Amino acid sequence: NAADAFVQIKQRLGGHFVVNMGGRYDWKERRSGKTVTELSPRFAVIYNHRRFNLKASYSHSFVDAPYFYRSNNLDVEYGSEDLEPEQLNSLQLSFLSDGKLLKGLFIDAGIYYNVADNVILFDFTRSLAYNAAKKKFLGFEFLSRYTAGRFSSELNMTVQKLLSGE
């Protein structure tokens, strides 16, 4: 059994700014009867210009351990019902151009800092999955598209740098 709910509020502040706040609540009952609950907040401040927008945002999210790691009927133990959900906290700064800043050029770029906790690792020597890792990383994403008449081109690039890992 599982249930979730999401709420979001947007509010304009003056002519160019928008504040966007939201949250998601998840409730999940596992096969054993153990329940997993999680509140995942989101917050963003957006600056809208007629040719581009800038967005600073924070979000928290999670992913529950896969069913196969928690419950299976194989002779090999893969994990346990006690595996916790993986957590991710993310700070992002994004830029989006709609093709009017430079005629025909659309740009979507962002830089982010992520902290992943309770990351599930799989130990192949013992055939066991467990919550054991924490990772911090910095990333940059860039997507551009240029169109001129019948000609178009796209470029997509992602770079990530692991800052620390336990």
Side-chain angles (χ1 to χ4, degrees):
N1 294 319
D4 58 71
F6 181 80
V7 63
Q8 178 174 305
I9 298 169
K10 282 187 180 183
Q11 177 65 47
R12 286 204 173 273
L13 301 175
H16 294 289
F17 287 95
V18 176
V19 173
N20 188 351
M21 296 177 285
R24 178 183 168 127
Y25 179 77
D26 288 90
W27 174 87
K28 183 177 184 180
E29 182 181 28
R30 291 182 175 172
R31 189 175 107 184
S32 67
K34 178 182 178 180
T35 59
V36 175
T37 60
E38 190 73 33
L39 179 63
S40 303
R42 290 147 170 76
F43 179 78
V45 176
I46 304 162
Y47 174 77
N48 282 317
H49 186 273
R50 61 187 172 91
R51 294 182 177 178
F52 65 89
N53 74 43
L54 290 170
K55 177 170 54 171
S57 62
Y58 163 79
S59 66
H60 171 82
S61 58
F62 83 103
V63 134
D64 198 11
Y67 179 81
F68 184 74
Y69 289 167
R70 292 183 285 111
S71 299
N72 67 64
N73 295 325
L74 300 175
D75 290 337
V76 179
E77 180 69 27
Y78 275 88
S80 81
E81 190 67 23
D82 296 326
L83 283 172
E84 295 295 323
E86 296 176 305
Q87 309 284 325
L88 180 68
N89 289 292
S90 182
L91 292 169
Q92 299 182 17
L93 183 60
S94 306
F95 171 83
L96 179 65
S97 164
D98 64 359
K100 296 176 185 169
L101 195 59
L102 294 170
K103 185 174 170 60
L105 181 63
F106 299 83
I107 297 173
D108 186 352
I111 187 166
Y112 55 88
Y113 172 72
N114 289 344
V115 177
D117 204 0
N118 275 345
V119 177
I120 297 172
L121 296 180
F122 190 78
D123 183 345
F124 289 99
T125 61
R126 297 184 300 169
S127 295
L128 182 64
Y130 53 99
N131 294 101
K134 181 174 186 172
K135 297 179 181 184
K136 296 178 182 178
F137 51 99
L138 190 62
F140 174 73
E141 295 178 333
F142 181 82
L143 172 69
S144 69
R145 185 175 75 242
Y146 178 73
T147 57
R150 298 169 91 181
F151 173 81
S152 69
S153 65
E154 291 190 21
L155 172 68
N156 187 350
M157 177 180 71
T158 301
V159 178
Q160 290 187 6
K161 168 78 172 144
L162 181 66
L163 301 175
S164 68
E166 300 172 17

